[in-house]
Amino acid sequence: MNKLRNYITLSQKSFKALAIFTLLACGPGMADYDEFMSFFMPESSNAKLSDRRYSYSSQFFYDESNEYSGGYTNQDTTDHDKILNVSAWSKYVVGKVNKKAITESIYGNSIALQAYLNKIQKNEAADYLTFVKTIDKAFSTQTVDYFTETKVDTLALVDLFTQVKTVLPTIKDEFVKERYGFQAIKLAMLNQQPQEAVELYDKYVQSIKKKSYIAEWALSRKAGAEIALGDSVQAYYDFAQVFDRCPSRRYQADLSIRSRGMGFQKDALKYAKNNHEKAAIYAFGAIKPNSDGLAALEKMVELDPNNPLIELVMSREINKNENLFYHQNNYWTMEQNEEQAKANHEKAIPYWEKLKEFAATCSKNTNLPKTGFWLAALSYIEYTERNFEQSSAYLAEAKLIADNNDGLSKQLKIQELLLLANQSPIITPALEAQLVPVLATFAKPDNFRMSNALTEASKQLVARYYGKKLIEKEEKQGWLSSCTNKKTEEKKVDIPFAKAKAYLLATLASYQVNSSLEYGGFMSQVDMYAIEDTTTSKTIEQVIAYKHTSSKTPYDSLLQKITGFSDDHLYVLLGRRALAEHDYAKAALAFEKVNPSEWKKEPWKTYFDEDPFYLAINGKDKRNTYTPLTYAQKMAEAAQKLANNPNDAEAAYLLGCGAYNISYMGNSWVLSKRQWGSGEVNSYEQKDFNTDYYLATKAKSYFEIALKSTDTELAAKACFGGAKCELSAFFVHAQSQGSNEDYETYQARINKDKERDFVHYFTLLKDKYARTKYQKEVLRECADYNLFAKKMK
């Protein structure tokens, strides 16, 4: 592919214009790094908030930046989880010491708890607290700055390990013994003695009759020792039980296996003492990346239908299959292998059937919690298979089940919107009425799946407002531009303001209109500016008429409210689109209705600051004294003069200058487009650049008329204007074709193309108008023309 380069042009564009890639917008950012094409919310499961990190993700964990993180850390120091630890000690002293004093005694400098323990002759417990603080001192943490590492007194740790092994056999109080046991196992691992850690657990912790969370922490340390010893099966079993029984070490237990890439250890089942433990092993494996979740799910439901992760694992399987199923329509993927995408899609189809069969069985299983989740899953899978009637039936059943899960409620809204958008072959007032309560919940979507659903529904409804079939994908030239081709229209839409509603729905899916985020938006959201730049003035006129109609349904009021376009915005847009169509009179009438203060704001203040009727020879444009309104009025006046007298060369030249400057290479492109990029014309963009905006064909037609003038100076200026249009066409030709040649070969070929096909007006200027003052000025000021003239000698 050739490198992009701005070739020398007749008028060097200002640095300001070349530097901007997109006006007033950088496009939606990746608001959620887990974004992919998905419409099924894992939050619809009954999993605890802290467990939702185990939902399907393309990342290490799902939405790890969110509150699902749970607040747990990898730290396992003597400063245990405060809530658990303080509560345990408070219960131990039967509430005789207040929790504030306990906290200060364990984590601060107070000795109130130790004093009370000695007072009631709980000397083993008091000594334990002193011993724990001694361990703390072995870890000298420096807090000078973020990068300072923790310093460990290794000699002290060896001595402390010896001490704890001496004390442990003498402890009679099980509450204290459990804690000493944990400290002993931890010190064994810190001293790199994993075999002793396992033996200490088996000897001192396993035998404790009333185990607490401390025993689970000790078991987690023992499992780590087993990994160090190479016993992955026993470690897998132990970590699975910690994950199941100990919320405060669930994250660490999972991470210990996940970070090592350890697969499911089926042999761990032989250690399970009951069905619950077996189900815990299956659940522990099912939440890992690339796991066979359905096979594990079937076992979990069979062994322990009350396992709290069953619904979460099912949501993982649905999300995993979505990633395969929708891959070929993925907005975000950089994948270019169409064969692989098709293979993934084909692979996903039979898996939907397996998931549907399982969900149907679970929906009738009275041993499972009746949350509505399984009916929601069934409804969604039927939707993916386009069985809309059955999907609607399951959705109706799911709605009847009372549930306080906000995620499930949102999921049902997603499915309702998707079904409404897809089920009806035509738009009717009844359908619009049904959309009102649903669409209202999608204003400012707060997660990417709701954004996906709104974007998808918008596409389908836009197509139906234009009487077309389902839109499979976004058209390269914009949603609405493809709908205006009458050859593809299937039937007349008998509903008021159909195109206006289509336009508003299209923009509702944009990040400029409907983002809940402070910056950017979700990646499924579209670019409103691209929609604006491909919409006809006739459509915008209908949008304005729709906004001001006196007869509004609730649907009309809602749609206009959530899009929120002001009159100034719409009339500016109408004027822009009219100028792009070279309907200057319509543009002038539109701009007349805009508050004059708008022209003092951005983008006009920055990007409309050069004279739109001036053709610069050397890149030095004149300062602008026009507003969009006075520009449009002057163009409309010149157009009327030319209509009255087709030979009015002066009017034609003025129109040529004005039309050229609102083209891509002109100094006032902002009058016809919302955004501009210095590299937007290139072979990577699969779109049509052979348009008036890029080629300045309308401007060239005006200059051709002016060339007929008997005033040779005016004709010379028109000739130079034609050359600017011709060079615009050359720029498109050079930049929009791909090439595997090296740059020098490519440049030589392109230069030949230029000399053969794109110097007509330069030749005419040199041959016919060489004696004019203007030609001499061009020869002196324009380096490109000067080089051309020298070659022609």
Side-chain angles (χ1 to χ4, degrees), residues 659-671:
Y660 172 80
N661 277 324
I662 63 171
S663 72
Y664 176 71
M665 299 298 288
N667 63 26
S668 300
W669 54 267
V670 73
L671 284 168

Side-chain angles (χ1 to χ4, degrees), residues 236 257 261-265:
Y236 196 91
I257 296 298
M262 190 183 297
F264 179 67
Q265 303 290 308

